[in-house]
Amino acid sequence: VPFLAEPLIAQILPQHIGKLLVGRYPQIRGLKAVKALELSEMEQGRYADVLFNVICVACIPFIAPAYMHQTFLALLVSHIYIYSYDQVKVLRYVVKFDYGSPDVHYL
């Protein structure tokens, strides 16, 4: 459920509030306006969650084999949603995405 609300809370709402603030107050100009409308950076903590979900699904046959189809379907749907959202996020809402730095290894 938190993944469903993330686009609204993390991208759309802050951008909308920034536009309202910049449009309402004439003293917010130049660098201040740019900072108010600044986009966020892409974080990679989600990919640790994705790996954890795959490991949990790999354990399902040993714990509750009757629910394998529902579990694999939920995993597939959630990963398609995460992939689609990340695609849009990287192309539209992220100022930089640096996955080639040493910081990637320290989630």
Side-chain angles (χ1 to χ4, degrees), residues 38-102:
E38 188 174 49
L39 300 172
S40 62
E41 291 184 18
M42 183 72 174
E43 76 284 344
Q44 296 198 0
R46 167 167 314 168
Y47 301 110
D49 295 337
V50 168
L51 288 174
F52 180 72
N53 290 342
V54 170
I55 290 170
C56 287
V57 166
C59 295
I60 288 297
F62 303 110
I63 298 170
Y67 298 106
M68 281 179 55
H69 294 289
Q70 292 95 345
T71 306
F72 280 114
L73 182 64
L75 179 80
L76 181 67
V77 169
S78 66
H79 283 224
I80 289 172
Y81 174 76
I82 289 171
Y83 175 78
S84 303
Y85 170 61
D86 281 348
Q87 185 77 16
V88 171
K89 185 177 176 181
V90 166
L91 294 176
R92 302 267 174 152
Y93 294 108
V94 177
V95 69
K96 84 175 182 179
F97 185 27
D98 188 19
Y99 55 87
S101 72

Side-chain angles (χ1 to χ4, degrees), residues 44-45 48 98-107:
Q44 296 198 0
D98 188 19
Y99 55 87
S101 72
D103 296 335
V104 173
H105 301 292
Y106 303 110
L107 296 174

